[in-house]
Amino acid sequence: MKKLLFCLLMLCAVTGFAQDLNSYKYVVVPDRFELQRATGEFNLNNLVAMMFEKNGFTVYRGQELPDELIMNRCKALYADLAKESNMLKTGVIIKLKDCKGKEVFVSEKGESKQKNVQRAYYEALREASASVEALNYQYNGDKETVTIQTPVTKTETVTVFVPSATPQAEQVVNSDMLFAQPIANGYQLVDSTPKVVLKIYKTSQQDSFTAVGEGKNGVVFKKGNDWFFEYYQNDKLISEKLNIKF
């Protein structure tokens, strides 16, 4: 009876996780977990990325993020691999955290008695990944409800998947001159007050920066000869033209 109750509790927990995780399209896997002594040690990062891809997630590695995630990191979950070992066994747990660092998924512990460290990690990771497979993850973030009118005036409501359209940005022009002052990994943009309006940080793309301001986080990029700051405000995309002097 106790065993049956435990199984039912586990099933409820997995179902709850699945309902929460299905609204996330992306998983970001770091280039180095805390348990690793070096970047990519034992190829664990690639294995974790492949495991999430196999289960339907869109996976990004390290800092190679699309503009959608640079502008809103909360659209993704962030993978972690925790070590829980003892003298006899190597144990690992797969975790997923949201953009605020809150754990939204913790796998069952995978264990191995292998003496070879790399083989032990592989075996323990394979065992822990069963919890991810049990989620039966299916992304549901692109669902929209569409009403179809039939010729006999019968109305049916169906749910279909519609590709997300590129949002139309509201154009804003900021005519104030902003002066770019170098800081670590980027610049701070200062007005004539002087006041720091934005801090922008370099990315792997030329003339493209992540931007952090007072309640407005997004991207700053160059288009033609002009600079633009794009960010979301009340779920609406704003494109602000900037006058920057480097």
Side-chain angles (χ1 to χ4, degrees), residues 162-178:
V162 180
S164 298
T166 302
Q168 185 66 36
E170 179 178 313
Q171 299 291 329
V172 177
V173 177
N174 185 346
S175 58
D176 294 336
M177 176 69 75
L178 299 177

Side-chain angles (χ1 to χ4, degrees), residues 26 96 120 136 167 196 233 236 242:
Y26 306 107
L96 286 174
N136 293 318
V196 177
Q233 190 174 67
K236 187 171 185 178
L242 301 180

Side-chain angles (χ1 to χ4, degrees), residues 126-146:
R126 184 166 58 250
E127 187 173 299
S129 68
S131 296
V132 179
E133 294 176 8
L135 292 172
N136 293 318
Y137 164 82
Q138 287 187 331
Y139 176 61
N140 62 14
D142 287 335
K143 283 185 178 179
E144 294 182 6
T145 300
V146 179

Side-chain angles (χ1 to χ4, degrees), residues 3-244:
K3 185 175 181 181
L4 177 60
L5 180 60
F6 175 78
C7 292
L8 288 174
L9 290 173
M10 285 300 299
L11 179 60
C12 291
V14 168
T15 303
F17 276 134
Q19 291 173 344
D20 293 334
L21 302 188
N22 287 343
S23 60
Y24 290 91
K25 185 177 182 180
Y26 306 107
V27 167
V28 177
V29 177
D31 291 327
R32 181 178 177 181
F33 297 116
E34 288 189 11
L35 61 80
Q36 293 174 301
R37 293 170 296 181
T39 299
E41 186 180 31
F42 303 127
N43 202 34
L44 292 177
N45 313 78
N46 285 332
L47 291 176
V48 170
M50 291 170 60
M51 181 269 298
F52 279 113
E53 286 177 345
K54 176 185 175 183
N55 285 281
F57 290 91
T58 299
V59 179
Y60 286 96
R61 291 289 306 277
Q63 302 301 316
E64 298 177 1
L65 304 181
D67 289 344
E68 182 180 8
L69 286 185
I70 292 175
M71 295 179 68
N72 187 356
R73 290 179 56 85
C74 293
K75 287 182 176 290
L77 294 172
Y78 299 84
D80 190 19
L81 196 62
K83 182 179 179 180
E84 289 199 6
S85 302
N86 54 40
M87 294 293 292
L88 301 176
K89 296 179 181 179
T90 297
V92 296
I93 293 175
I94 302 166
K95 297 182 179 182
L96 286 174
K97 301 178 182 179
D98 63 16
C99 61
K100 298 179 181 178
K102 177 184 176 182
E103 291 181 356
V104 296
F105 171 76
V106 178
S107 75
E108 288 294 302
K109 181 167 68 173
E111 293 181 319
S112 172
K113 294 182 178 180
Q114 291 275 357
K115 300 300 182 183
N116 180 283
V117 178
Q118 182 168 330
R119 291 179 181 175
Y121 273 129
Y122 286 5
E123 188 173 292
L125 180 59
R126 184 166 58 250
E127 187 173 299
S129 68
S131 296
V132 179
E133 294 176 8
L135 292 172
N136 293 318
Y137 164 82
Q138 287 187 331
Y139 176 61
N140 62 14
D142 287 335
K143 283 185 178 179
E144 294 182 6
T145 300
V146 179
T147 300
I148 300 176
Q149 186 73 30
T150 67
V152 293
T153 69
K154 178 182 177 182
T155 301
E156 297 178 356
T157 300
V158 298
T159 300
V160 298
F161 282 96
V162 180
S164 298
T166 302
Q168 185 66 36
E170 179 178 313
Q171 299 291 329
V172 177
V173 177
N174 185 346
S175 58
D176 294 336
M177 176 69 75
L178 299 177
F179 300 90
Q181 299 176 344
I183 58 174
N185 301 317
Y187 302 88
Q188 61 182 16
L189 304 184
V190 181
D191 62 17
S192 57
T193 309
K195 174 187 174 184
V196 177
V197 178
L198 280 175
K199 289 186 178 181
I200 61 176
Y201 300 92
K202 298 175 182 177
T203 68
S204 59
Q205 301 297 318
Q206 185 176 3
D207 294 333
S208 179
F209 301 83
T210 59
V212 179
E214 293 183 359
K216 296 189 295 187
N217 300 336
V219 293
V220 169
F221 61 92
K222 191 173 185 181
K223 185 176 181 181
N225 294 321
D226 298 316
W227 288 93
F228 293 88
F229 173 34
E230 290 195 349
Y231 55 93
Y232 279 94
Q233 190 174 67
N234 298 324
D235 294 327
K236 187 171 185 178
L237 180 61
I238 307 296
S239 182
E240 186 175 334
K241 186 177 179 180
L242 301 180
N243 188 9
I244 305 175

